[in-house]
Amino acid sequence: IQGCHNPVLIDMAMSLRHRVSPFRRTQFRNLERMGESFEEHSVIVEAILSHDVITTYREMRTHLLSARSATSRAAPVWASPAAVTKLQK
């Protein structure tokens, strides 16, 4: 991200990465989920490289919902709105 040379974008990306780090850790504890996530990322990258906005949006949304579902199975307390709000602070 440093290569963009945009301090606002860098700050936003780093802040987001910090906020989602607890969720990301749960994703890497499950090898099956890691494989699914890799496949989802591959589809997203292909859509981006093809300049296919609709597929990119759809696949990114599907990926985020899939990650959320996997996280809520691994740590059900994180699925609550209060937990999400707390993590965003």
Side-chain angles (χ1 to χ4, degrees):
I1 192 77
Q2 300 293 334
C4 75
H5 305 290
N6 181 329
V8 175
L9 183 58
I10 293 167
D11 184 55
M12 289 175 60
M14 298 306 288
S15 176
L16 179 60
R17 185 180 182 105
H18 176 72
R19 285 182 180 177
V20 301
S21 64
F23 296 103
R24 293 183 73 216
R25 279 193 296 273
T26 65
Q27 301 296 303
F28 295 122
R29 291 184 183 148
N30 180 331
L31 292 178
E32 183 179 337
R33 177 64 198 137
M34 281 179 55
E36 292 169 357
S37 185
F38 180 82
E39 290 298 321
E40 292 164 2
H41 283 160
S42 295
V43 172
I44 293 164
V45 169
E46 287 300 319
I48 291 169
L49 294 175
S50 298
H51 304 283
D52 186 340
V53 177
I54 294 171
T55 300
T56 301
Y57 171 84
R58 184 185 66 236
E59 295 300 330
M60 189 67 213
R61 181 162 173 75
T62 298
H63 170 64
L64 292 174
L65 292 172
S66 178
R68 179 181 181 191
S69 176
T71 299
S72 66
R73 286 191 305 275
V77 69
W78 289 354
S80 72
V84 172
T85 301
K86 184 177 178 182
L87 286 172
Q88 292 176 341
K89 291 182 179 180

